[in-house]
Amino acid sequence: MSFSRSFQAAVTAFQNKEYDLAQSICEQLTKQIKNCEIFHLLALINKAKNKLDKSRYYFEIAVKYGSNNANIHANLAKCEKPN
């Protein structure tokens, strides 16, 4: 299956709240390619699963690969712990 089809399958699984399936697909994709969209989706998946530390970790990686993506920065800011 191509990257775009696999990534779309992960997005669809996420939208259907099939978080474990979406995460599994994304983790397989990260073995093939590293890009901000995959890590952004992994962050959103973990946020939905209330795993905020792991979510923050993936947001930080997503920023590394897509530093100009405003959505990633905005979502990372939402995960920051209050002082």
Side-chain angles (χ1 to χ4, degrees):
M1 188 180 295
S2 71
F3 168 80
S4 59
R5 281 187 168 188
S6 295
F7 185 73
Q8 187 55 50
V11 170
T12 299
F14 174 75
Q15 292 170 336
N16 291 332
K17 297 182 180 178
E18 297 172 342
Y19 302 128
D20 291 336
L21 175 59
Q23 184 166 351
S24 176
I25 295 168
C26 286
E27 287 172 351
Q28 288 299 315
L29 288 173
T30 63
K31 294 176 183 174
Q32 300 169 19
I33 189 169
K34 308 281 191 242
N35 74 26
C36 66
E37 289 85 8
I38 298 169
F39 291 109
H40 190 196
L41 185 54
L42 278 167
L44 294 173
I45 291 164
N46 281 281
K47 185 176 179 189
K49 293 167 83 173
N50 206 30
K51 295 182 176 182
L52 298 183
D53 287 340
K54 199 165 191 179
S55 178
R56 193 174 305 106
Y57 168 77
Y58 283 123
F59 278 127
E60 289 171 356
I61 295 173
V63 166
K64 176 181 170 184
Y65 289 104
S67 61
N68 293 327
N69 188 316
N71 288 329
I72 296 170
H73 286 278
N75 285 323
L76 175 59
K78 291 176 188 176
C79 277
E80 292 301 319
K81 293 179 182 176
N83 293 334

